[in-house]
Amino acid sequence: MAAPASTPHAGSAANASPLGALSQLVQDATDAGTSFRRLGERAVDPDTGEKISWQYFQKLVKNPPASPPNPIQMRALAAALGKPYRRIQEAAAKQWLQYEATELSGYDADVRIIVGHLAGQSKAEVRQWLAMMEAAAQAKREADE
């Protein structure tokens, strides 16, 4: 069960990157060496087969559109970036609505303990945990193929 989102934290926008959350995910991919063109090649919605262009990725970083991506675009973004769809949804919600999921429900005590532990970690430590979780999810997807 997914964690429902709650109201944003006061002052959270003040701590945000100059780029929006989704734009930052794209920038992170290009910083890691993936070109906009390569992202565009991988940007295919697995449900519909629809694609988004490499120019859309460039626009997200250089001059983000006024409105968020639709679900088809978000699934294509997730495929291109190798991120879970939920992560793309959260980043879009944060960028366009200043809305963050902060409440956990429907999870057992172990998950709450892990999240509580991460809440006290530095940004670098949280990034390390996130990288490990994303690597595990990617390995599972590859094993399922």
Side-chain angles (χ1 to χ4, degrees):
M1 175 176 212
S6 65
T7 57
H9 292 300
S12 63
N15 298 329
S17 164
L19 286 177
L22 185 57
S23 298
Q24 187 63 55
L25 288 177
V26 174
Q27 183 66 56
D28 291 347
T30 61
D31 288 349
T34 305
S35 69
F36 290 126
R37 288 189 188 275
R38 180 70 181 123
L39 290 171
E41 291 169 3
R42 295 190 293 199
V44 180
D45 173 16
D47 292 351
T48 66
E50 291 189 44
K51 300 177 181 183
I52 55 176
S53 71
W54 68 268
Q55 291 96 337
Y56 186 77
F57 289 93
Q58 185 176 37
K59 185 175 182 178
L60 278 172
V61 172
K62 305 291 184 191
N63 186 22
S67 53
N70 63 42
I72 291 171
Q73 291 170 314
M74 286 191 288
R75 288 190 298 266
L77 285 161
L81 295 170
K83 305 280 185 203
Y85 177 67
R86 178 78 179 162
R87 178 74 178 98
I88 301 303
Q89 284 180 307
E90 290 169 354
K94 185 174 183 181
Q95 181 164 336
W96 278 273
L97 302 173
Q98 292 75 51
Y99 194 73
E100 292 184 66
T102 57
E103 178 184 328
L104 286 178
S105 64
Y107 292 98
D108 63 20
D110 290 338
V111 172
R112 284 190 192 75
I113 290 168
I114 292 167
V115 172
H117 173 76
L118 291 176
Q121 301 297 310
S122 71
K123 287 183 180 185
E125 290 167 317
V126 170
R127 282 193 302 271
Q128 181 181 6
W129 277 87
L130 180 59
M132 289 187 297
M133 289 184 285
E134 289 175 350
Q138 180 66 29
K140 183 179 184 323
R141 283 192 299 273
E142 289 172 2
D144 291 343
E145 290 178 354

